[in-house]
Amino acid sequence: MRSKKKPVIAAAAAMTVVAITGSAVGCAETADATTRKITGTLSDGSTYLFEVPANWNGTVLLYSHGYNPGPSNPAKNAGSAEVNEKLLADGYALAGGSYPGVGWQTPNALGDQIATLDQFAAQVAAPRRVIAWGESMGGEITSLLAERYPDKIDGAIAMCPAVAGTVPWFNTYLDGAFTLRTLLDPDGTVPLVNITDVASTQSYWTQLVENAQKTAEGRARLALAAAFTTLPTWSQPGTSEPAGTDHAAHERNQYYSLSTTFTLFQAAVRADMESKVGGAFSWNTGADYRELFSGLGQGAKAEVDALYKQAGLSIEDDLGALQAAPRIEPSDPQAIAKMNEYAPTGSPRMPILTVHTTGDDAVFPSLESPYAAKVRTNGDTALLRQTYVSAPGHCNFTTDEVVASIKTMDQRLSSGAWPSTSPEDMNKRAADNGTDSSHFVEFQPDPLPRPELYP
């Protein structure tokens, strides 16, 4: 079980508000003459938040926050209050925005984040250095900023990002849903794409998964669906990592993910994204499920084989049923193309560090592999470093792991060469903060079954 030791930081005193006029500016505050806090509103209605410590080192950390279902939509400049306090104490200025709406906001966020950075330069000072960073959807945004704004940003840290692109990411969700419906409810009519009734769709998946977990046959088929979705075998926060051959424990973790994260993304998040691009952007025509199964990682196949044998089921029969089932057509090419406008191309124009938890059951570590392959193809491997943290769940980073990642990028920009990003050195960099709550590890994610962006 992972612990999160908090650094000792003095609490800020009460703030004195100082009004500032201007069309894109709200107000500035001073925290005991040590930290300036500036808030304001951009022309599209999104808000921003700056904090500048008295010992500012000249570097601005431009934070892109993750998916926010609403209804409130505050500006954020760090992932947590603890991280915020530690970075300010280390002399970094923090900046971030709200985006103009809730849900999937990547298309709007790119311009807003640059406008937020421009406001910082106008109201505070031109920074010596800008490091963009973000988590989840914010990691996706950060990876795109690294490709599109080299004149504004010097380095990027994308944490648990969907760097392979949303289309292949949600095709894995579709493969899991297709497997569940075909094998557990072959006469079911719940839509797999074009989601309109979010509540009933989410309830359907939850009930289907919960019922399946009650039988050996159901658990075997849940494991197969989890394998096609590339769900990790350790995903439940607050638990210890199961042994490598404890297939029952692996399946229990995947059941946890299927009954929580999966149902949310396959219903509410998919519906939101479809509404933003004007249609369905997932399909499985052309997918050979026997071939996809043979291409899975050894651990995933071993778990499925073991559970199928225990249940007395034939994996070949179930793969045949998947092959014969009616497919989801790529019905809206414009929606697919629109979504792919925001898929990272693998051509970063600055150093970029990705950081992923090994047990991420929302934005899977398998999404890192196609991105690395694109970067290699484009000849930009010198700009990319990929690191992994041993932890269950999505973006489940400790403060030390976040700060170590930022210090790594800072060193890269100062020296012009990457410092070591080995797990040992990343953990040592984290330990320099005076605590011991860092778990960087060597890790090779399983391949993404269908990395293609287009049908």
Side-chain angles (χ1 to χ4, degrees):
M1 186 179 302
R2 289 158 52 86
S3 62
K4 295 191 176 184
K5 299 181 181 179
K6 297 184 178 181
V8 178
I9 300 173
M15 294 186 175
T16 302
V17 178
V18 180
I20 296 180
T21 59
S23 61
V25 182
C27 65
E29 302 173 350
T30 303
D32 196 24
T34 60
T35 299
R36 281 189 292 163
K37 185 175 183 179
I38 300 170
T39 60
T41 305
L42 299 177
S43 59
D44 64 2
S46 61
T47 58
Y48 55 81
L49 169 63
F50 308 145
E51 290 183 272
V52 186
N55 63 333
W56 181 33
N57 60 20
T59 295
V60 173
L61 303 179
L62 179 66
Y63 180 72
S64 296
H65 70 72
Y67 189 94
N68 171 23
S72 64
N73 187 30
K76 297 186 68 175
N77 62 10
S80 71
E82 184 177 300
V83 169
N84 173 289
E85 291 173 355
K86 181 67 175 101
L87 293 174
L88 288 173
D90 286 346
Y92 293 102
L94 308 181
S98 67
Y99 322 141
V102 297
W104 188 64
Q105 287 290 309
T106 297
N108 298 319
L110 296 172
D112 271 18
Q113 290 295 81
I114 296 304
T116 293
L117 195 59
D118 290 343
Q119 282 297 317
F120 183 94
Q123 296 183 50
V124 181
R128 174 180 60 88
R129 175 177 295 163
V130 177
I131 297 175
W133 67 300
E135 298 167 307
S136 193
M137 182 182 76
E140 172 187 73
I141 292 164
T142 297
S143 66
L144 292 169
L145 292 172
E147 294 184 353
R148 301 185 184 191
Y149 296 99
D151 57 328
K152 297 283 189 179
I153 297 166
D154 301 291
I157 305 166
M159 309 188 81
C160 43
V163 281
T166 297
V167 167
W169 173 29
F170 268 73
N171 273 346
T172 65
Y173 275 111
L174 176 64
D175 287 333
F178 180 76
T179 301
L180 292 174
R181 192 183 69 175
T182 300
L183 300 182
L184 298 175
D185 186 22
D187 296 323
T189 58
V190 68
L192 305 186
V193 298
N194 290 314
I195 310 300
T196 56
D197 188 340
V198 169
S200 64
T201 301
Q202 192 164 341
S203 176
Y204 169 87
W205 292 118
T206 300
Q207 193 61 55
L208 188 71
V209 169
E210 288 180 351
N211 287 340
Q213 185 66 12
K214 297 174 183 177
T215 68
E217 294 85 355
R219 290 190 293 272
R221 286 164 171 155
L222 291 182
L224 180 61
F228 283 138
T229 316
T230 68
L231 289 177
T233 55
W234 182 35
S235 58
Q236 190 166 2
T239 65
S240 298
E241 184 171 11
T245 57
D246 191 345
H247 301 309
H250 295 168
E251 192 278 334
R252 284 195 299 272
N253 274 268
Q254 292 168 331
Y255 158 68
Y256 166 81
S257 299
L258 287 168
S259 63
T260 55
T261 308
F262 174 89
T263 64
L264 174 67
F265 275 72
Q266 179 57 22
V269 179
R270 181 183 288 280
D272 172 51
M273 288 181 164
E274 288 178 341
S275 73
K276 299 289 174 51
V277 296
F281 52 87
S282 295
W283 71 90
N284 68 347
T285 52
D288 184 325
Y289 285 94
R290 288 192 177 94
E291 183 178 326
L292 292 184
F293 182 74
S294 68
L296 294 174
Q298 289 185 349
K301 286 190 288 187
E303 177 196 340
V304 171
D305 286 338
L307 293 179
Y308 264 74
K309 182 177 180 181
Q310 182 180 350
L313 292 175
S314 166
I315 183 65
E316 281 301 318
D317 287 350
D318 276 2
L319 292 174
L322 293 175
Q323 282 297 99
R327 301 305 179 91
I328 304 300
E329 300 284 340
S331 58
D332 199 330
Q334 289 185 331
I336 296 170
K338 179 69 173 177
M339 190 60 83
N340 280 331
E341 288 180 24
Y342 301 98
T345 65
S347 295
R349 300 170 71 187
M350 64 191 64
I352 180 168
L353 174 71
T354 67
V355 191
H356 225 120
T357 47
T358 59
D360 193 334
D361 60 347
V363 185
F364 322 118
S366 57
L367 296 164
E368 295 274 358
S369 299
Y371 180 68
K374 289 180 186 178
V375 173
R376 283 194 300 272
T377 299
N378 295 334
D380 294 323
T381 53
L383 292 175
L384 175 66
R385 293 293 183 273
Q386 292 174 299
T387 60
Y388 298 91
V389 168
S390 178
H394 179 51
C395 288
N396 186 18
F397 303 111
T398 67
T399 295
D400 289 339
E401 289 156 356
V402 173
V403 174
S405 302
I406 289 170
K407 294 292 179 67
T408 298
M409 180 56 67
D410 220 350
Q411 290 182 33
R412 166 62 181 83
L413 297 176
S414 293
S415 68
W418 284 103
S420 171
T421 55
S422 70
E424 295 79 12
D425 286 307
M426 292 297 292
N427 287 325
K428 183 178 183 300
R429 212 163 285 134
D432 290 342
N433 295 322
T435 62
D436 183 21
S437 61
S438 179
H439 303 82
F440 287 93
V441 293
E442 290 287 352
F443 182 74
Q444 180 60 51
D446 283 342
L448 191 68
R450 291 200 288 139
E452 66 272 14
L453 290 172
Y454 290 94

